[in-house]
Amino acid sequence: MANKNNEALKQPIWVNNPVVVQILGICSALAVTAQLKPAIVMGLSVTVIVAMSNVIISLLRNTIPNRIRIIVQLVVVAALVTIVSEILKAFAYDVSVQLSVYIGLIITNCILMGRLEAFAMQNGPAASFMDGIGNGLGYAAILVVVAFVRELLGSGKLLGFQVIPQWCYDHGYMNNGLMIMPPMALILVGCIIWFHRSKNKDLQEK
C-alpha cells in the first residue's frame, strides 16, 4: 500500500507528467506563465483542487450511480474551484485579477477529470490523495519552469523584483519581448516535452 501511494505521488511529477507526457492542461500552462507569481498560485490551486476532489470522489465512488458519475464529479470540482476562487479574492486579490477567468476554467481542466475518472473512481482515498498531489505538483512544476524563463528573460524580473542588474541594460542588454507573448510559452513547453522524451525514451511509442 505504501509503495502504491509513493508511486501515485512520484510518477506524475516527472516520469508521467500530465503536461509533457499526457499533454493535458496545456491551455492554462500557456495563458498564466508570463509571470512567476500567477503561475505559482495557479499551480498550487490546481494541486489543492485535484487532491481534494480525488479524495471526495474516492470516498463516494461506491455510492455514485454510474450514469451520473460525470455530473457528480463536475459538481464536486465546481464547488472546490468556487472556494479556492473566493479565498484568492479575499487574500490575493491582485493575483486573482491576473488569473482572471482561468481560475474558473480549472473546472474544465483535463487533468482533474482525467484523474477523477481514471484513478479516484477505482482507488481508495489515501492513494487518490497522493495521486492528486503528484499530478498537481507535476502540472505546477511545468508552469513554474516556463514562467521563470519567460519573466526573467522577458522583463528581467522574478516575482516582480528586478533580477538583471541595471548595468547590463547600460551596456546594451535588452529584454526579449517575445518571451512575454503566448507563442513563446508554447515553444518552451515544446522544449520541455522534447527534453523529457529524450531522457525517457522507454515511454515513446514503438
Side-chain angles (χ1 to χ4, degrees):
M1 181 63 72
N3 288 336
K4 182 179 180 180
N5 291 349
N6 288 334
E7 284 296 306
L9 174 64
K10 294 177 182 178
Q11 285 287 316
I13 294 178
W14 176 244
V15 176
N16 195 28
N17 187 281
V19 178
V20 300
V21 176
Q22 303 170 48
I23 319 298
L24 301 176
I26 289 289
C27 293
S28 56
L30 304 183
V32 303
T33 54
Q35 294 182 330
L36 190 54
K37 188 174 181 179
I40 292 172
V41 172
M42 185 69 168
L44 291 176
S45 298
V46 170
T47 301
V48 170
I49 292 168
V50 177
M52 296 310 299
S53 59
N54 263 14
V55 170
I56 293 170
I57 293 299
S58 177
L59 290 170
L60 298 176
R61 70 187 188 281
N62 294 324
T63 63
I64 301 175
N66 189 59
R67 64 182 182 277
I68 63 167
R69 71 186 190 283
I70 300 298
I71 298 174
V72 174
Q73 291 169 12
L74 284 172
V75 169
V76 169
V77 172
L80 291 171
V81 168
T82 301
I83 293 171
V84 168
S85 178
E86 293 304 311
I87 291 173
L88 288 177
K89 288 177 181 177
F91 297 101
Y93 182 76
D94 290 343
V95 178
S96 176
V97 171
Q98 283 182 285
L99 292 173
S100 183
V101 298
Y102 294 102
I103 286 291
L105 289 176
I106 291 176
I107 296 171
T108 61
N109 193 307
C110 303
I111 297 172
L112 274 129
M113 300 309 297
R115 298 325 298 165
L116 292 176
E117 188 69 10
F119 198 93
M121 289 293 290
Q122 284 80 41
N123 293 276
S128 296
F129 177 76
M130 300 303 283
D131 177 78
I133 292 292
N135 278 274
L137 291 178
Y139 168 83
I142 302 304
L143 262 65
V144 168
V145 170
V146 173
F148 179 91
V149 175
R150 292 182 70 193
E151 186 175 6
L152 178 62
L153 300 182
S155 61
K157 300 179 179 180
L158 287 175
L159 297 173
F161 296 101
Q162 191 67 40
V163 174
I164 297 178
Q166 184 58 42
W167 64 264
C168 290
Y169 296 99
D170 294 339
H171 286 78
Y173 177 83
M174 295 179 64
N175 293 325
N176 188 341
L178 179 62
M179 281 290 174
I180 59 176
M181 298 178 66
M184 199 62 219
L186 183 60
I187 292 171
L188 289 172
V189 171
C191 290
I192 295 172
I193 292 172
W194 168 79
F195 178 77
H196 179 276
R197 295 192 177 187
S198 71
K199 295 295 183 182
N200 297 274
K201 294 181 179 180
D202 56 309
L203 296 178
Q204 298 180 26
E205 295 182 4
K206 304 296 184 184

